[in-house]
């Protein structure tokens, strides 16, 4: 099994140090959709993604979750509980077959104490988390359901090499995936995409989506609460 050499948190540490940290870690494989830990769990391990990917989810209603982040190989998560000893603030699931290594809270704190570079990277990661949460809270509180869906389509879009100035989504996620990021449900995603199609703003093409009117999609996604809502 691969070690922790690919974990960005440990970049630039001596190979023997990384090997020693890996020797203290627990290793586990997760299947797609398998839960790593749940919100309110009192475990304080820190996890390192050796292969695969995970999604971090936060409940916004008893029957609804919003995706906060997708993390792939080289990243880490779970450090907040390890530092303050509190309960988990989010749920984490594997998006695909995934291999994770984990350190318990005291072992992780010992690594931070011994290597200031690691501590600085943890602090930068925490700053990133705060900024991400600020942005997500702003979106959830200021945009309508339809606008959040459109904002996600904007985020997924990229320049279309077949059309000068055009945009498209080459691999459109399913409605459940989009709903998770927009903090809504599949039915709302279907309604919004259907309305955008009727307005000729977008066009579905098999597993992709062509953005027929890029300026209009961006404007609709950024409009204020009082704008016409889908």
């Amino acid at each position: 099994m691969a070690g922790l050499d690919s974990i960005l948190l440990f970049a630039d540490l001596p190979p023997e140090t990384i090997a020693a940290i890996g020797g203290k870690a627990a290793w586990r494989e997760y299947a797609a959709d398998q839960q790593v830990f749940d919100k309110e769990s009192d475990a304080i391990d820190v996890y390192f993604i050796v292969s695969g990917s995970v999604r971090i989810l936060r409940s916004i209603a008893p029957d609804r979750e919003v995706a906060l982040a997708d993390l792939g190989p080289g990243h880490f998560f779970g450090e907040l509980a390890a530092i303050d000893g509190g309960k988990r603030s989010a749920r984490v699931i594997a998006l695909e077959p995934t291999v994770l290594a984990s350190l318990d809270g005291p072992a992780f704190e010992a690594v931070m104490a011994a290597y200031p570079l690691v501590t600085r990277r943890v602090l930068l990661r925490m700053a990133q988390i705060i900024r991400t949460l600020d942005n997500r809270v702003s979106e959830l509180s200021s945009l309508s359901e339809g606008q959040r869906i459109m904002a996600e389509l904007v985020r997924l879009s990229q320049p279309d090499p077949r059309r000068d100035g055009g945009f498209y989504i080459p691999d459109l996620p399913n409605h459940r995936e989009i709903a998770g990021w927009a903090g809504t449900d599949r039915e709302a995603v279907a309604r919004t995409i259907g309305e955008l199609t009727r307005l000729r703003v977008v066009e579905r093409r098999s597993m992709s989506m062509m953005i027929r009117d890029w300026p209009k999609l961006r404007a609709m996604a950024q409009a204020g609460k009082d704008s016409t809502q889908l």
Side-chain angles (χ1 to χ4, degrees), residues 25-219:
W27 300 75
R28 184 174 175 185
E29 297 182 3
Y30 293 81
D33 295 323
Q34 184 175 354
Q35 181 171 279
V36 179
F37 58 72
D38 202 357
K39 182 184 177 185
E40 300 297 326
S41 166
D42 55 7
I44 57 173
D45 291 2
V46 180
Y47 292 83
F48 310 97
I49 307 174
V50 179
S51 65
S53 58
V54 303
R55 172 164 293 169
I56 301 174
L57 300 154
R58 182 68 184 267
S59 298
I60 59 173
D63 60 346
R64 186 172 298 177
E65 292 180 311
V66 60
L68 298 180
D70 288 349
L71 302 176
H75 290 275
F76 68 99
F77 60 95
E79 70 276 15
L80 296 181
I83 292 171
D84 67 8
K87 294 183 180 296
R88 300 294 191 186
S89 59
R91 187 168 77 94
V92 178
I93 61 169
L95 291 176
E96 57 186 312
T98 298
V99 176
L100 300 178
S102 63
L103 287 176
D104 61 36
F108 183 70
E109 287 191 321
V111 172
M112 290 178 60
Y115 303 100
L117 177 62
V118 172
T119 301
R120 173 170 172 74
R121 287 172 175 163
V122 171
L123 290 174
L124 289 173
R125 165 69 178 152
M126 294 176 71
Q128 181 184 44
I129 290 173
I130 292 170
R131 291 182 185 277
T132 298
L133 287 176
D134 282 348
N135 290 336
R136 297 296 280 151
V137 168
S138 176
E139 280 189 2
L140 290 170
S141 62
S142 64
L143 299 180
S144 71
E145 197 172 59
Q147 288 167 335
R148 295 198 303 272
I149 295 167
M150 289 183 281
E152 182 60 18
L153 296 180
V154 169
R155 186 185 71 82
L156 291 168
S157 299
Q158 57 185 262
D160 189 342
R162 301 163 299 182
R163 297 183 298 133
D164 187 29
F167 284 79
Y168 78 138
I169 303 174
D171 187 11
L172 184 69
N174 60 40
H175 289 179
R176 177 187 173 190
E177 293 282 310
I178 297 173
W181 280 103
T184 183
D185 54 43
R186 289 176 291 182
E187 290 74 18
V189 174
R191 286 196 304 271
T192 300
I193 291 179
E195 182 66 7
L196 290 172
T197 301
R198 185 186 69 79
L199 294 172
R200 298 181 63 79
V201 176
V202 304
E203 180 181 323
R204 288 293 302 268
R205 291 189 173 182
S206 185
M207 301 302 293
S208 66
M209 172 178 283
M210 182 177 71
I211 312 301
R212 298 180 61 93
D213 192 335
W214 174 245
K216 185 171 184 177
L217 178 62
R218 287 192 302 171

